[in-house]
Amino acid sequence: KNQVEQSPQSLIILEGKNCTLQCNYTVSPFSNLRWYKQDTGRGPVSLTIMTFSENTKSNGRYTATLDADTKQSSLHITASQLSDSASYICVVSANTGGFKTIFGAGTRLFVKA
Amino acid sequence: DADVTQTPRNRITKTGKRIMLECSQTKGHDRMYWYRQDPGLGLRLIYYSFDVKDINKGEISDGYSVSRQAQAKFSLSLESAIPNQTALYFCATGRGGTDTQYFGPGTRLTVL
């Protein structure tokens, strides 16, 4: 069964600290993996996208890594800001004839002053 | 102006009522999607359309129907709303290829 599991479910950190969010998936055959940021009351916004051959992708203070062998990805946030408080969603797409995209449940990040 | 808009933003209705949620986009994308989001769960795909003449069921299409009136418009209908359809509904658009999706602001639907 195609699944995307994220950990932790929620996380509280102090402003200025770094954090790492995890994503494990069983989606196959793998096509690409994306991280989205979802602010409360808004739709998700894409942060990064990685295909099979990419190990890392950065977008400002956000750096995503991908290990396609172990089917794991992480999102590292550097020097967190209050505006980073949001849900972070891992999304994995399968390379099938149809459309197959699985969303993780997300990690809820709270950044405190 | 927002690239992907949804109307209404909030709706409270009663069991058995017919409800239509509308989505419009100015991004010029061919692909449009409807998702629902429930607390503690990932977004789940209801329906998707790769062009005006193409409509496909997602993983949770029962109880829903859609209409792709034009490239820019994709509406979702609940023919007879029930309480477990209470959720946050998102419309999204995308291109082919890596298919990054662009989401609307969401519609919060409550069925009493």
Side-chain angles (χ1 to χ4, degrees):
Chain A
K1 180 180 179 182
N2 290 319
Q3 287 186 310
V4 177
E5 296 184 351
Q6 294 186 240
S7 62
Q9 283 188 323
S10 64
L11 181 63
I12 302 173
I13 63 173
L14 291 176
E15 185 179 16
K17 297 296 185 181
N18 303 335
C19 67
T20 300
L21 314 180
Q22 300 291 342
C23 174
N24 296 333
Y25 63 92
T26 60
V27 179
S28 182
F30 177 82
S31 175
N32 61 72
L33 184 147
R34 281 162 274 155
W35 284 93
Y36 284 84
K37 178 186 179 187
Q38 184 178 17
D39 292 311
T40 300
R42 298 192 171 212
V45 175
S46 180
L47 292 174
T48 64
I49 179 169
M50 288 180 292
T51 57
F52 184 87
S53 60
E54 296 175 294
N55 301 114
T56 185
K57 185 72 69 75
S58 291
N59 178 359
R61 294 179 297 102
Y62 301 102
T63 299
T65 64
L66 173 65
D67 186 334
D69 292 331
T70 61
K71 298 187 177 180
Q72 296 180 324
S73 177
S74 65
L75 181 69
H76 186 74
I77 303 175
T78 303
S80 61
Q81 300 176 357
L82 297 178
S83 60
D84 291 331
S85 295
S87 287
Y88 291 86
I89 303 172
C90 176
V91 183
V92 184
S93 293
N95 189 14
T96 66
F99 176 73
K100 193 69 172 181
T101 292
I102 309 296
F103 286 73
T107 292
R108 188 75 175 93
L109 175 65
F110 300 89
V111 180
K112 303 183 76 172
Chain B
D1 287 340
D3 295 321
V4 184
T5 57
Q6 293 183 233
T7 57
R9 293 295 313 279
N10 289 282
R11 182 72 184 268
I12 300 174
T13 190
K14 294 182 179 180
T15 297
K17 295 292 188 181
R18 184 178 187 275
I19 297 298
M20 178 180 287
L21 309 182
E22 298 187 346
C23 176
S24 295
Q25 54 118 344
T26 59
K27 298 188 77 66
H29 291 162
D30 287 327
R31 301 184 175 193
M32 297 188 74
Y33 311 81
W34 275 105
Y35 293 91
R36 67 177 279 175
Q37 187 175 40
D38 297 277
L41 298 178
L43 276 78
R44 291 181 292 167
L45 183 65
I46 306 173
Y47 270 95
Y48 64 101
S49 169
F50 282 179
D51 65 44
V52 174
K53 297 181 180 179
D54 176 74
I55 301 290
N56 302 281
K57 293 182 178 181
E59 62 178 299
I60 55 164
S61 59
D62 287 349
Y64 302 94
S65 62
V66 291
S67 174
R68 185 79 184 268
Q69 301 95 323
Q71 185 204 37
K73 296 184 182 295
F74 193 35
S75 59
L76 176 72
S77 293
L78 288 68
E79 296 300 326
S80 180
I82 56 177
N84 76 0
Q85 290 177 315
T86 293
L88 192 53
Y89 289 85
F90 286 102
C91 173
T93 73
R95 291 188 287 254
T98 56
D99 199 30
T100 294
Q101 293 176 40
Y102 299 84
F103 288 82
T107 293
R108 184 167 297 280
L109 176 66
T110 302
V111 183
L112 301 175

